[in-house]
């Protein structure tokens, strides 16, 4: 289960058509923020990348709660395939994703040369995956939007947010459908992320890429690092 909680909000796909995004944080999904919190947040037209980052991680927390309510019988199906949420959960994630993209787009408009802004636009766009299939995301062109945001972030600062753009690129290349899938590039991106900004997430994803390639010894080595790193972080 912990591996699911780390990975799944980075799933690369998106819903082809979402409802109109709300305006103003007073309309932000109530599942994510209390009434008091909403009064302290920026409206989308005043948002920057920090608002998008905060929203993205809060949305992941909500997603984790949803996953814990499911009867998950196959880890690979959840991590590398389409997530089978209930209809109500899909509707909720669609609303959450739409609002997150609105915030992130505002952040890019306010700071077009910010690597963080482009990273979180790609990341919030990827949240839409939870409410649809990867195929629908492909035909709607959202995969291209995600890739564009990732590459712009890399151009501006290759190791921004603890190599978050490289990690997201690795996930994207590992799971996206044709023509975006390239597991060799996924491996290269995750290795670069792990070497320059070591994180549990990068090594977990790298381990799964190795597993998909049937390189089981390397997969075990990558995953074993995550336990060591998690223990070191706990002691700190």
């Amino acid at each position: 289960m912990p591996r699911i909680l780390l990975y799944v909000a980075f799933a690369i796909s998106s819903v082809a058509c979402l409802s109109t995004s709300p305006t103003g944080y007073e309309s932000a999904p109530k599942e994510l923020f209390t009434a008091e919190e909403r009064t302290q947040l920026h409206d989308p037209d005043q948002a920057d990348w920090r608002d998008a980052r905060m929203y993205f991680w809060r949305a992941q927390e909500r997603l984790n709660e949803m996953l814990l309510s499911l009867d998950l019988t196959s880890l690979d199906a959840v991590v590398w395939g389409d997530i089978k949420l209930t209809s109500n959960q899909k509707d909720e994630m669609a609303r959450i994703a739409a609002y997150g993209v609105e915030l992130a787009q505002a952040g890019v408009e306010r700071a077009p040369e910010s690597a963080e802004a482009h990273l979180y636009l790609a990341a919030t766009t990827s949240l839409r995956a939870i409410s649809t299939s990867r195929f629908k995301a492909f035909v709607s062109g959202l995969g291209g939007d995600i890739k564009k945001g990732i590459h712009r972030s890399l151009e501006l600062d290759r190791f921004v947010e603890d190599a978050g753009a490289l990690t997201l690129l690795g996930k994207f290349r590992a799971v996206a459908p044709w023509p975006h899938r390239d597991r060799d590039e996924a491996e290269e991106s995750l290795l670069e992320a792990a070497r320059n900004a070591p994180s549990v997430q990068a090594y977990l994803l790298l381990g799964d890429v190795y597993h998909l390639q049937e390189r089981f010894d390397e997969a075990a080595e990558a995953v074993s690092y995550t336990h060591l790193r998690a223990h070191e972080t706990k002691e700190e």
Side-chain angles (χ1 to χ4, degrees):
M1 183 65 68
R3 298 172 70 201
I4 296 172
L5 306 187
L6 282 167
Y7 298 171
V8 75
F10 281 105
I12 303 303
S13 297
S14 180
V15 66
C17 180
L18 292 175
S19 58
T20 302
S21 300
T23 57
Y25 253 125
E26 69 277 2
S27 300
K30 294 181 174 56
E31 298 88 351
L32 303 188
F33 305 101
T34 66
E36 181 179 356
E37 286 176 327
R38 285 196 294 276
T39 66
Q40 301 171 3
L41 301 171
H42 293 122
D43 287 337
D45 61 356
Q46 298 176 317
D48 65 15
W49 68 265
R50 294 172 184 81
D51 294 285
R53 177 177 64 181
M54 177 275 300
Y55 187 95
F56 175 70
W57 289 113
R58 188 65 68 89
Q60 282 201 114
E61 292 175 4
R62 177 56 184 155
L63 174 60
N64 295 345
E65 294 173 2
M66 291 182 182
L67 292 174
L68 288 170
S69 72
L70 301 178
D71 181 17
L72 303 176
T73 58
S74 172
L75 177 62
D76 286 341
V78 172
V79 174
W80 299 108
D82 296 327
I83 301 168
K84 305 302 182 184
L85 298 177
T86 67
S87 178
N88 288 340
Q89 288 173 329
K90 288 181 179 180
D91 290 343
E92 181 181 332
M93 285 309 303
R95 289 187 294 104
I96 288 172
Y99 199 91
V101 170
E102 182 180 356
L103 284 179
Q105 287 174 333
V108 169
E109 290 171 5
R110 289 174 64 85
E113 299 303 309
S114 166
E116 293 92 344
H118 289 280
L119 169 60
Y120 285 104
L121 178 56
T124 54
T125 301
S126 75
L127 285 174
R128 292 179 171 181
I130 309 309
S131 59
T132 191
S133 68
R134 290 179 293 172
F135 176 76
K136 289 180 180 178
F138 169 68
V139 298
S140 66
L142 266 295
D145 291 342
I146 295 169
K147 185 170 67 172
K148 179 181 177 181
I150 293 171
H151 283 293
R152 183 57 180 149
S153 180
L154 290 171
E155 289 173 358
L156 293 165
D157 185 344
R158 196 160 185 82
F159 303 114
V160 67
E161 293 287 277
D162 294 327
L166 282 168
T167 302
L168 185 56
L169 178 60
K171 174 67 173 178
F172 178 79
R173 288 303 197 185
V175 304
W178 180 90
H180 299 299
R181 179 175 295 181
D182 184 335
R183 286 176 177 161
D184 288 336
E185 183 179 348
E187 178 187 351
E188 292 173 5
S189 298
L190 292 167
L191 276 172
E192 185 177 358
R195 289 167 177 166
N196 289 276
S199 69
V200 169
Q201 188 175 63
Y203 275 98
L204 280 172
L205 289 169
L206 183 60
D208 267 335
V209 170
Y210 287 146
H211 182 81
L212 289 169
Q213 297 171 329
E214 299 185 357
R215 296 160 61 182
F216 301 118
D217 289 343
E218 289 167 284
E221 183 179 356
V223 173
S224 68
Y225 173 86
T226 68
H227 295 290
L228 175 62
R229 180 58 183 161
H231 180 72
E232 290 175 347
T233 303
K234 185 177 180 179
E235 288 185 342
E236 293 172 1

